[in-house]
Amino acid sequence: MKRPTIKDIAAAAGVSKGAVSLALNGRAGVSESTRARVLDVASALGYRPSVTARALSSASADAVGLVLVRPPRALGDEAFFFQLIAGMQSEMSCALLLQVVASREEEIALYQRWWAEHRVDGVFLVDLLVSDPRVSLMSSLGLPAVVVGGSGHHGSLASVWADDYAAMTSVVEHLKSLGHRRIARVAGLSSLLHTVRRDAAFASSVVDGVVVAGDYTAESGAAATRDLLSGEAPPTAIVYDNDVMAVAGAEVAASLGVSVPSELSLVAWDDSVLCQHGRLTALSRDTFAFGARAARALVSVIGGASPTDVQDVLPELVVRGSSGPAPGGSAP
Amino acid sequence: MKRPTIKDIAAAAGVSKGAVSLALNGRAGVSESTRARVLDVASALGYRPSVTARALSSASADAVGLVLVRPPRALGDEAFFFQLIAGMQSEMSCALLLQVVASREEEIALYQRWWAEHRVDGVFLVDLLVSDPRVSLMSSLGLPAVVVGGSGHHGSLASVWADDYAAMTSVVEHLKSLGHRRIARVAGLSSLLHTVRRDAAFASSVVDGVVVAGDYTAESGAAATRDLLSGEAPPTAIVYDNDVMAVAGAEVAASLGVSVPSELSLVAWDDSVLCQHGRLTALSRDTFAFGARAARALVSVIGGASPTDVQDVLPELVVRGSSGPAPGGSAP
DNA sequence: GACCCTAGCTAAACCGGTTTATCTCCGGCT
DNA sequence: AGCCGGAGATAAACCGGTTTAGCTAGGGTC
């Protein structure tokens, strides 16, 4: 089964290759009657232009790229990215090139390769680092890119972000209003920009806060929680940087006989089925819509628009059974 | 920043384009000294062949495709696919083109398009239907494909599958050995081949089984469970076709005051964090490894190997707190 | 020394598009 | 009538590779 090429269309319609190209792309240079004839022939033959050939003439690759740096097996639990990807797809007509790599170095090499190979028209940058080499790489390559989930403006790149600072503040305020004073935080990877932002917000709104580092796995969430609860002045509330660690923390609390929420309040960052079933109070954001917004931004940058920063709506705190008034204290 | 092309290499090395191509691809026709010189120049200039141009000369597209048919928002909860994708990536050096579409028609159109556009070297087919039009489409297009999670052999395509029949039988046997007789099943979409296989296995090993249709969502799992438990002869055990429905079912049971596992045993198909935290007995399979196996199969088919059927290891039943001896009865 | 063979390379065609230069009409204007 | 302009089409170059046909020089054979 041989697919028809532009040459076949030209022959069948009795015109030249060039005329066919002009006709199909709706450009001036052919008469309306010829255009109509060409379109007829093309659809009759089931013609589809080869992206490959088209990309060669320095046109578009009709694809965008996303690289995730993860230990491969850990990926499955991260509903966040799948939601994000689904949202991106909803706003893109082109395909998404997805690759999971194990290190930052590979990631950078991959971007360069995709660019050199003319494989993508643009890329999404996720998991932004504190001082991220990718930002300047993109500018130097001239590869359209959108920073997803950074913190505001990044070099000359477009950006779609949520205000982690304000979000963290709102969580802490909620806990404070419930009478909590000793609030702890189980943070995510400290190399990530949003972790730093949340740390800063946490530090500035909690007087006597404790921060324990985690890495988003259930194990680290459990370990951190155990440490916190076995200290001499255990916190009355813990804020986790993701859902997996929070759920693990809830289990540790249960196993230690610490009852939630009467003795301990728990809040998760990023809502999910996991939180819903664990009846965990969670900071919920519409990740799907977030992805869609990112895709729109990338599409417009690729289209030549000047990069803009789009701020996502503030995440909303969904209060469930895991948070309540501070124990013993006199709630205001 | 202009990337170097084969012409630049040729000029720098003082040879022709053709010679450079031969040298870089390790083919005969150039002397070893010339080859070495060309390679030196190429690496010095940071040369990377354009996949685009290469694909044009009817070589490979260096990418494989995967199309998922889902209502976009539903995707985030399906850890299964993310695991699968991660596993695939681990065994592929090429990129994965991923697209989520809403209907089977779009899916078929997309495969045809990718093929016509020379975009992929091969594709994965998931969610196989009872009589799936994609199977013959692939043969007629001549597009290398691997059926992932079908049931054995499919036309002339390679296949990587797990024995759902045997797996279901093993689950039922486990429940029977605990003394259960009235066993119910909350099935997945009846259009899917594996649902039919599981139905058949269930029907043949359970004497008085009830099957309720579900669609993998928490809502359908909850509704099905409510129906089952409010009947006149409620089952003592329920087997769910995925983790989300099972967890939802567990909640319904709790809300109805039916205690698990003393009054009701629950088993989920496909293990996940959700099951682990819900302490649900689950049929666990290594989805990551499954994806890796599928990728290997596709790579070899693309490489020209004749399609083979690879059977995955039998899923293993992980017994947790949600299953136990049948109530009242005399367990053997 | 004439002949042939082959290693090593170049030139050119080709893949399937886009784009530009060119060519040919045809109509309008002076 | 002569000139100009523009619409409509074509031929050809180009993108960056691969592949094939053809050329040349050198060595071996008789």
Side-chain angles (χ1 to χ4, degrees), chain B residues 265-287:
Chain B
S265 286
L266 302 177
V267 178
W269 202 288
D270 275 340
D271 202 2
S272 73
V273 248
L274 218 47
C275 296
Q276 288 158 32
H277 288 117
R279 308 226 39 75
L280 279 174
T281 294
L283 198 61
S284 169
R285 48 179 164 167
D286 191 343
T287 311

Side-chain angles (χ1 to χ4, degrees), chain B residues 195-269:
Chain B
T195 304
V196 174
R197 298 277 300 175
R198 294 178 195 174
D199 277 341
F202 184 77
S204 80
S205 50
V206 177
V207 181
D208 192 21
V210 185
V211 178
V212 186
D215 63 2
Y216 306 116
T217 63
E219 291 71 32
S220 76
T225 308
R226 209 171 288 117
D227 283 357
L228 287 170
L229 295 184
S230 60
E232 46 198 50
T236 63
I238 308 180
V239 182
Y240 295 84
D241 247 16
N242 79 341
D243 53 345
V244 175
M245 294 194 294
V247 173
E251 280 183 11
V252 167
S255 75
L256 292 179
V258 177
S259 81
V260 172
S262 61
E263 294 177 84
L264 177 69
S265 286
L266 302 177
V267 178
W269 202 288

Side-chain angles (χ1 to χ4, degrees), chain A residues 18-85:
Chain A
V20 173
S21 177
L22 296 177
L24 291 176
N25 293 308
R27 305 182 34 165
V30 287
S31 66
E32 280 313 310
S33 64
T34 303
R35 183 187 307 279
R37 187 154 39 91
V38 168
L39 289 177
D40 277 355
V41 172
S43 76
L45 267 58
Y47 171 76
R48 283 244 146 232
S50 151
V51 241
T52 305
R54 184 173 276 170
L56 190 52
S57 307
S58 70
S60 90
D62 202 27
V64 298
L66 174 63
V67 181
L68 297 178
V69 181
R70 296 286 135 157
R73 292 222 172 223
L75 202 56
D77 300 332
E78 307 237 19
F80 176 82
F81 283 110
F82 224 11
Q83 287 279 13
L84 192 71
I85 290 172

Side-chain angles (χ1 to χ4, degrees), chain A residues 3 61-62 98 116 119 251 277, chain B residues 3 61-62 116 119 251 277:
Chain A
R3 54 191 227 79
D62 202 27
L98 173 72
R119 256 215 138 105
E251 279 184 12
H277 288 116
Chain B
R3 52 189 229 81
D62 201 26
R119 258 216 135 107
E251 280 183 11
H277 288 117

Side-chain angles (χ1 to χ4, degrees), chain A residues 77-100:
Chain A
D77 300 332
E78 307 237 19
F80 176 82
F81 283 110
F82 224 11
Q83 287 279 13
L84 192 71
I85 290 172
M88 288 169 171
Q89 297 267 0
S90 73
E91 283 291 327
M92 295 187 318
S93 57
C94 66
L96 178 74
L97 212 52
L98 173 72
Q99 191 137 7
V100 182

Side-chain angles (χ1 to χ4, degrees), chain B:
Chain B
M1 180 169 165
K2 185 68 184 65
R3 52 189 229 81
T5 72
I6 203 171
K7 204 196 289 180
D8 303 324
I9 309 294
V15 292
S16 69
K17 276 171 55 179
V20 173
S21 177
L22 296 178
L24 292 176
N25 293 309
R27 305 183 34 167
V30 287
S31 66
E32 281 313 311
S33 64
T34 304
R35 183 187 307 279
R37 188 154 39 91
V38 168
L39 289 176
D40 276 356
V41 172
S43 77
L45 267 57
Y47 171 76
R48 282 242 145 235
S50 152
V51 236
T52 305
R54 184 174 276 169
L56 191 51
S57 306
S58 71
S60 88
D62 201 26
V64 297
L66 174 63
V67 182
L68 297 179
V69 180
R70 297 285 135 156
R73 293 224 171 222
L75 202 55
D77 300 332
E78 308 236 20
F80 175 83
F81 283 110
F82 224 13
Q83 286 280 13
L84 192 70
I85 289 172
M88 288 169 171
Q89 297 265 1
S90 73
E91 283 291 326
M92 295 187 318
S93 58
C94 66
L96 178 74
L97 212 53
L98 173 72
Q99 191 138 4
V100 183
V101 299
S103 72
R104 296 278 163 184
E105 290 70 35
E106 287 179 78
E107 181 188 14
I108 295 217
L110 198 52
Y111 282 127
Q112 287 175 315
R113 198 175 126 194
W114 280 354
W115 159 243
E117 291 177 345
H118 247 290
R119 258 216 135 107
V120 293
D121 296 324
V123 297
F124 295 105
L125 300 181
V126 298
D127 282 342
L128 216 69
L129 300 179
V130 174
S131 138
D132 203 300
R134 291 175 294 173
V135 174
S136 60
L137 175 65
M138 293 303 130
S139 338
S140 77
L141 288 179
L143 181 58
V146 168
V147 172
V148 179
S151 63
H153 196 65
H154 297 279
S156 57
L157 301 184
S159 160
V160 176
W161 62 297
D163 191 343
D164 281 274
Y165 195 99
M168 175 59 89
T169 305
S170 78
V171 171
V172 172
E173 288 309 318
H174 170 247
L175 290 172
K176 276 185 176 172
S177 75
L178 288 169
H180 293 278
R181 292 295 173 268
R182 290 198 311 286
I183 304 176
R185 151 168 163 78
V186 176
L189 292 176
S190 60
S191 55
L192 298 182
L193 187 52
H194 66 244
T195 304
V196 174
R197 298 277 300 175
R198 294 178 195 174
D199 277 341
F202 184 77
S204 80
S205 50
V206 177
V207 181
D208 192 21
V210 185
V211 178
V212 186
D215 63 2
Y216 306 116
T217 63
E219 291 71 32
S220 76
T225 308
R226 209 171 288 117
D227 283 357
L228 287 170
L229 295 184
S230 60
E232 46 198 50
T236 63
I238 308 180
V239 182
Y240 295 84
D241 247 16
N242 79 341
D243 53 345
V244 175
M245 294 194 294
V247 173
E251 280 183 11
V252 167
S255 75
L256 292 179
V258 177
S259 81
V260 172
S262 61
E263 294 177 84
L264 177 69
S265 286
L266 302 177
V267 178
W269 202 288
D270 275 340
D271 202 2
S272 73
V273 248
L274 218 47
C275 296
Q276 288 158 32
H277 288 117
R279 308 226 39 75
L280 279 174
T281 294
L283 198 61
S284 169
R285 48 179 164 167
D286 191 343
T287 311
F288 184 91
F290 192 54
R293 214 158 285 144
R296 257 197 307 275
L298 185 53
V299 166
S300 79
V301 171
I302 290 172
S306 62
T308 54
D309 298 331
V310 178
Q311 186 174 350
D312 199 31
V313 292
L314 206 60
E316 176 200 6
L317 193 69
V318 177
V319 179
R320 298 204 183 85
S322 75
S323 64
S330 50

Side-chain angles (χ1 to χ4, degrees), chain A residues 128-160:
Chain A
L128 216 69
L129 300 179
V130 174
S131 140
D132 203 300
R134 290 175 294 174
V135 174
S136 60
L137 175 65
M138 294 303 130
S139 337
S140 77
L141 289 179
L143 180 58
V146 169
V147 173
V148 179
S151 63
H153 196 65
H154 298 279
S156 57
L157 301 184
S159 160
V160 176

